[in-house]
Amino acid sequence: MTQTMADMVEDEVLQQFEETSLEVRELYREEGEQARRKAARQGLWLAIAVYLQFSVIDILLIPDVAAYTIAARFAVSVTALAVVEIQHRMNFRTESVELACAAALVSGYVGWLVPAIMTGYAQNFSYFMIFGAIFMMGANLFFRFQFLLSIVSSGIVLMAFFVALYLFPATGSYQIAMGTFYVSCFTFTSYVNWKLNEERYNVFLNALEAKIQHNEATERGKALLRLSRTDPLTGLENRRAIDEKLRDYWSDWQKVGTSFGAILIDVDFFKKFNDCYGHQEGDRCLIHVANALSEMIKQYNGSIGRYGGEEFIVLARMETKEQILNIAEAICSTVENLALTHELRRDGVSIVTVSVGAAFTRTQTGAKLEKIIHEADRALYLAKAGGRNCARLFDPTDPQSSDESENIAALLKIAIGQNLVSLVYQPIQDVKSDRVEAVEALMRLKMLDGTSVPPSLFIPVAERTGAILELGRWAIRTVCAELLADDHVRVVSVNVSPIQLKTPGFATSVATILGETGVAGSRLAFEITEGLEMEMHSDILRCISDLKLLGIKIWLDDFGTGFAGLSWLRLIDFDTVKIDRSFLHDCSSPSGKAMLQDIITLVRNRGHKILVEGVETDEQMALMREFGIDKIQGFHVGRPAPAVSFQAKRAMRKRSFAVLKSA
Ligand code: C2E
Ligand code: MG
Ligand code: MG
């Protein structure tokens, strides 16, 4: 509608009255209505004031008929004012008010002219006649009449004048001069009136066009703003918009204590979904999830946005953290109920699910806005670690999500520089030769006061914060320098997180370390555990094949504890598979023993070497021999010890060898 109107106005301006659009004309009439009405009423009052003052001139120039002319003046004035004021009060149309004014103007002239023409002061009257022109000017220029009304009323004045001129005994030259003057005056004022009307209409059109353009610009601005705050795929609010909302929620919480929860939602194995079904299907999946969630969130009066890739965020004002957890759980089941097929995930589930992490406002000194998102993120991490398709609420007393983990994250940043991190090595024994053929490097971290932090606590934090990348490189370099460069040990296995394998340039950095320390790649083994990042990215496979090219062996750690182990076995040609110690420790029962045997058979049939972890007793050792295991590791063989103890052993062996040779 606005567009059509804009076009019409543009046409109007271009065609300059050639083709008049009725709609615009009507608008012009409506817009000018109030102004014209006011001008007519005010104009009439002013004109009548002047008109009545001319009574004095009547007395001076035509005193014999002055009584009549003055009476006529008052009669016309009072009638006209009465009519217009009544019209005004009764809200008459502007046209009627103008018509009344025009009628007053014409009657004012004719009403005066009729008695005045009877005067005996012919010469005075002949001068006085000239003032009739003022009525014509009034009709054409003084009032803001429509063009037609101006022409008709000034035309009547002109006609009345000619009638009077005809009746009035005057000389021919007077008639020619006055007649010409009146006609010129009529023509001139009518022309000016026409121009004025045209000008007014043009001004209106320009103003209308400017107004429409302004409205359009405002609309465009609003649309752009909407666009810049909307996620184009799902139509939900984007990160920018939801961040603003978060600020509002947060300031309400700070100012008036309205508590709220922040819920982060991550679609499980979404990369796998994209790989299997293509990006278009992936987009469709996100749209389905987004629609279902935004529909569900309505009942809680919350806000939902897309936070990035496959991550959504929900904000909801609630009174208790239990309510937030309920919403988080409802989110999980809403997506589960969609039953969108996701056949190729490796955890036995065949539909799309989400992991949900929630956090609730809690009073903390100096807490910042980002804190709640950070806490929700940590809860999300735990939800993923807990097997996905579940919701977790941030629990400040949980060591994994507590402030302690925050401290650990800070500690990890300075760990290498401040010598807070070190490596210990646990021997790995070859069962046939009974010799320690390798050692496993295990990382240790101590706090600034010397208290040690267990790897079960700091490794997940390092993985989450990315500190594992630098620590991992440091570990490989240290292993090479401490044990391998001087041949203290033949092979060292180093634990490597999938996050390291996923990072571009990891294999190159390992090659650099090998080059700098002069150690052959075959002296290193990398142990990979199915961690959080269980999806086997193509980047990981590429990195593993690059590492193999360097001669590095790849071992599968803690086999049997995760659910991706079997598919990893299929995808990667591991040199050695380390069977998790829990299987050995379960061997006291016949079923546990059978289970271990089955696992061993499976791994052996695939052609991998087998290492069993957690050998602690003679009985377990004997069992390993019975099962024909290749390598063992555990307290029975040796506890993790610092590098120096292996360096000393090697020196001792060297010394006894020298003694033997000399004997
Ligand atoms: P893991 O790689 O499976 O390491 C073996 C863990 O089992 C070590 O615990 C070791 O001390 C323990 N262990 C060894 N023998 C026995 C035994 O006979 N009985 C029992 N009960 N336990 C035994 P630790 O040092 O606490 O390490 C825990 C985990 O931390 C490691 O498991 C590994 O996954 C991770 N980790 C350690 N160092 C590193 C590292 O440098 N990088 C990465 N990415 N992860 C590491
Ligand atoms: Mg290990
Ligand atoms: Mg292990």
Side-chain angles (χ1 to χ4, degrees), residues 426 440 442-444 455 495 557-558 581 613-614 616 634-635:
Q426 186 175 30
E440 177 181 6
L442 295 162
M443 203 177 280
R444 295 290 175 258
N495 293 286
D557 201 358
D558 302 336
R581 65 170 178 264
E613 301 179 298
E616 293 175 349
F635 297 161

Side-chain angles (χ1 to χ4, degrees), residues 16-18 20 25 28 139-141 145-148 150-151 186-202:
Q16 298 287 322
F17 289 91
E18 279 172 27
T20 306
R25 282 260 162 214
Y28 174 61
N140 279 335
L141 307 177
F145 293 158
Q146 302 274 61
F147 182 66
L148 189 65
S150 302
I151 290 295
F186 171 78
T187 317
F188 175 74
T189 55
S190 299
Y191 175 76
V192 175
N193 178 291
W194 166 262
K195 279 286 158 199
L196 267 176
N197 268 315
E198 194 183 59
E199 197 52 40
R200 270 189 214 117
Y201 189 56
N202 277 344

Side-chain angles (χ1 to χ4, degrees), residues 120 203 206 220 277 336 430 622:
V203 168
N206 288 334
R220 262 201 305 275
Y277 301 105
E336 209 174 342
D430 184 281

Side-chain angles (χ1 to χ4, degrees), residues 263-265 293 296-297 314 324-336 354-356:
I263 305 172
L264 290 177
I265 303 141
L293 292 185
M296 180 225 132
I297 291 307
V314 162
I324 288 296
L325 185 59
N326 284 344
I327 301 179
E329 278 164 354
I331 288 172
C332 278
S333 41
T334 302
V335 176
E336 209 174 342
V354 287
S355 299
V356 181

Side-chain angles (χ1 to χ4, degrees), residues 27 130 246 255 258 265 295 413 446 539 577 582 593:
L27 198 65
I130 205 156
L246 176 64
K255 284 182 196 147
T258 321
I265 303 141
E295 198 52 43
K413 282 190 191 150
K446 58 177 195 272
D539 316 2
V577 172
S582 56
K593 194 169 170 184

Side-chain angles (χ1 to χ4, degrees), residues 235-247:
L236 296 182
E237 286 190 295
N238 62 14
R239 190 176 185 133
R240 193 174 137 185
I242 205 81
D243 274 347
E244 272 175 31
K245 281 246 168 80
L246 176 64
R247 269 193 285 280

Side-chain angles (χ1 to χ4, degrees), residues 28 31 210 221 301 315 336 362 635:
Y28 174 61
E31 291 253 313
N301 210 7
L315 303 171
E336 209 174 342
R362 56 198 185 92
F635 297 161

